[in-house]
Amino acid sequence: MTPAARLTLFGPVMQLGFVVPDLEAAALHWAGLGVGPFFLMEHIQYAECRYRGQPVSFDMSVAVGQWGEMQVELIRQHDAVPTIYSSFVGGSGLQHLGVMTDSVEAQLAMLAARGISATQSGSTANGIRFAYVDTDALPGAHPGGMIELIERGPAIDAFFNFVRTAADGWDGERPLRRLG
């Protein structure tokens, strides 16, 4: 099969998303490997979130750092509300792969024709749209095979650029930095 004939459902992976029991310990681990610095966002507020089609409200924090062209996202859910994080098989480890999209809605419509749907989706308080799709439920899949669609836009583009810029020439100082 030639590269032009290859079927591509998603853009390139730009993020590795890990569910972790301790954000600080995980960030320090990755920083010890030269990844970072990590930016901690505690108790993230969502404008709207749905899990398996139902509205959901839960408490989570994340830390985001850069590893070359790859972003590393560390996720900790603080409560037991059913979500893709609390129901993750094994409780911790690589949970998803993040890809950028121009339109979450258009991408979900295209994926629906292939039997792939959103398991969890929504938008943050500052308008960042996302959807985690059930690619990890397909035949032959495994835990950690879920894909997150992240919609391009001014807020997310600015934040991801901020994280990348901070990593350029990072000297290892202050590996975990609190935001907001």
Side-chain angles (χ1 to χ4, degrees):
M1 184 179 330
T2 66
R6 185 176 49 220
L7 173 66
T8 304
L9 297 178
F10 304 99
V13 173
M14 51 72 58
Q15 179 188 77
L16 303 174
F18 295 87
V19 173
V20 299
D22 182 325
L23 282 174
E24 185 172 343
L28 293 175
H29 160 76
W30 282 101
L33 300 174
V35 178
F38 281 85
F39 295 92
L40 176 63
M41 294 162 284
E42 297 179 289
H43 311 289
I44 294 173
Q45 297 296 307
Y46 290 97
E48 177 248 340
C49 192
R50 299 181 82 72
Y51 174 66
R52 301 199 182 279
Q54 300 300 311
V56 64
S57 180
F58 58 98
D59 184 17
M60 71 175 283
S61 297
V62 302
V64 179
Q66 197 71 26
W67 182 9
E69 294 299 312
M70 187 66 61
Q71 185 182 94
V72 175
E73 180 183 37
L74 308 171
I75 304 156
R76 179 163 187 269
Q77 186 172 326
H78 303 289
D79 56 27
V81 172
T83 69
I84 59 168
Y85 314 116
S86 64
S87 64
F88 181 58
V89 176
S92 66
L94 180 63
Q95 189 269 336
H96 74 267
L97 308 170
V99 301
M100 300 301 292
T101 184
D102 291 329
S103 169
V104 165
E105 185 178 338
Q107 183 109 28
L108 288 174
M110 184 268 300
L111 293 170
R114 298 188 172 282
I116 300 170
S117 61
T119 302
Q120 187 165 302
S121 62
S123 61
T124 62
N126 62 349
I128 297 168
R129 293 178 39 102
F130 63 89
Y132 293 87
V133 295
D134 60 4
T135 49
D136 59 337
L138 297 172
H142 49 82
M146 182 172 275
I147 294 177
E148 179 187 14
L149 306 174
I150 307 163
E151 190 169 283
R152 289 181 184 89
I156 197 69
D157 292 346
F159 176 65
F160 285 176
N161 187 53
F162 170 76
V163 172
R164 271 191 303 278
T165 300
D168 289 341
W170 177 55
D171 62 4
E173 293 296 314
R174 296 183 48 231
L176 184 61
R177 304 169 186 191
R178 284 181 166 71
L179 293 178

